[in-house]
Amino acid sequence: MPTKTLRIPTTDGQADAFAAFPDRAERHPGVLMYADGFGIRPVLREMARELAGHGYYVLVPNSFYRHGPTPVIELPEYIGEEARPAVFAQLMPLIEAHTAERVLSDADAYLRFLTTQPEVGAGPVAVTGYCIGGLYAMRTAAAHPGQVAAVAGFHSPVSADGPERDRLLERITAEIHLGHAETDVTPEALGELNQALDTAGVSYTSEIYPGTLHGFTMSDTDAFNPAALQHHWDRLLPLLGRTLANSEAERHNK
């Protein structure tokens, strides 16, 4: 599986990024993958390679590049409960500094870069994200409705509050999948969110993954749930197969 470390020109400098794509001399649909708050690390690279194996060019940018290249902060190999307070003490200022304006400015640069790579075919792209990256994915889809055909967020917030959420959803034309952790969303809150999705008129699935904690897809954390990670693939791959026009990718997803 070919991989690259790349530098993406942005209005504020250059964002380092990881890319994975099939080992075939063909063009493939593009997927922009936003990491969780912990950033690009072995588990994210492995997830990108896994997705690329299904026929996609997957680009994972360092969202916090303004503070330095990957790794922006040093992480333990396993991010257990005992390590989290010290890690979050370093991460929260970076997350707070990454405003909606910065997210959208960067999204412009990431999509422009992604769609001009020689391995990426013409046509729509997908955006997926984990934890805070899911919010970045939704904002990207809302800002680029003509270009983003699918968006997925896993154990992630949709937005800070109802009005902001509703303004976001009404601008999205992509098909949406939201996979929530059981500890993140109550059934009542899920009902309110799904009502907002209905009102926005988007095509979507939005569900709580049973027995999950926040961060369930990440194998280097205590929240990891192998069954939920597989469920995530079982939802994500058909979504991409339906929405991204590429017969090679569709064959891989069947």
Side-chain angles (χ1 to χ4, degrees):
M1 180 67 61
T3 62
K4 291 180 180 178
T5 299
L6 301 164
R7 297 184 71 82
I8 303 173
T10 74
T11 56
D12 290 333
Q14 289 193 324
D16 54 300
F18 176 81
F21 47 94
D23 188 14
R24 297 186 296 278
E26 302 168 354
R27 291 176 177 263
H28 309 281
V31 179
L32 175 60
M33 177 185 286
Y34 287 108
D36 61 0
F38 297 132
I40 301 173
R41 58 197 192 283
V43 66
L44 261 298
R45 294 184 180 96
E46 178 54 38
M47 292 176 78
R49 285 191 291 266
E50 172 75 18
L51 184 53
H54 291 273
Y56 300 99
Y57 183 106
V58 185
L59 180 68
V60 190
N62 169 18
S63 294
F64 306 135
Y65 68 89
R66 292 172 180 84
H67 305 275
T70 301
V72 180
I73 67 169
E74 293 297 330
L75 292 171
E77 184 175 337
Y78 186 84
I79 311 168
E81 283 302 315
E82 70 287 346
R84 292 174 78 88
V87 169
F88 274 103
Q90 298 177 75
L91 274 180
M92 288 312 297
L94 309 186
I95 293 172
E96 290 167 359
H98 201 55
T99 61
E101 291 75 19
R102 284 186 171 184
V103 171
L104 296 181
S105 174
D106 288 347
D108 292 346
Y110 299 158
L111 290 178
R112 184 164 52 248
F113 184 88
L114 173 62
T115 55
T116 56
Q117 294 310 292
E119 301 89 356
V120 177
V125 302
V127 187
T128 187
Y130 302 88
C131 185
I132 193 66
L135 176 56
Y136 302 161
M138 294 290 282
R139 287 175 171 165
T140 299
H144 297 270
Q147 189 170 20
V148 177
V151 59
F154 300 94
H155 47 83
S156 60
V158 175
S159 64
D161 55 46
E164 180 188 348
R165 176 199 64 202
D166 295 347
R167 288 192 296 272
L168 189 69
L169 295 178
E170 70 186 12
R171 298 195 301 271
I172 292 177
T173 60
E175 185 175 344
I176 299 170
H177 174 71
L178 299 174
H180 310 283
E182 195 170 77
T183 53
D184 284 347
V185 180
T186 65
E188 294 75 19
L190 178 66
E192 293 175 4
L193 171 60
N194 291 353
Q195 179 58 54
L197 287 159
D198 287 334
T199 300
V202 294
S203 177
Y204 76 93
T205 52
S206 172
E207 60 183 327
I208 295 172
Y209 287 22
T212 52
L213 304 172
H214 179 74
F216 58 78
T217 59
M218 298 297 157
S219 61
D220 59 355
T221 74
D222 292 336
F224 180 55
N225 182 316
L229 175 63
Q230 183 57 51
H231 188 58
H232 138 282
W233 290 121
D234 292 343
R235 290 290 189 260
L236 180 60
L237 293 174
L239 170 67
L240 301 185
R242 286 192 301 273
T243 55
L244 301 186
N246 182 276
S247 59
E248 182 69 18
E250 289 170 4
R251 286 198 297 272
H252 276 263
N253 291 336
K254 290 179 180 176

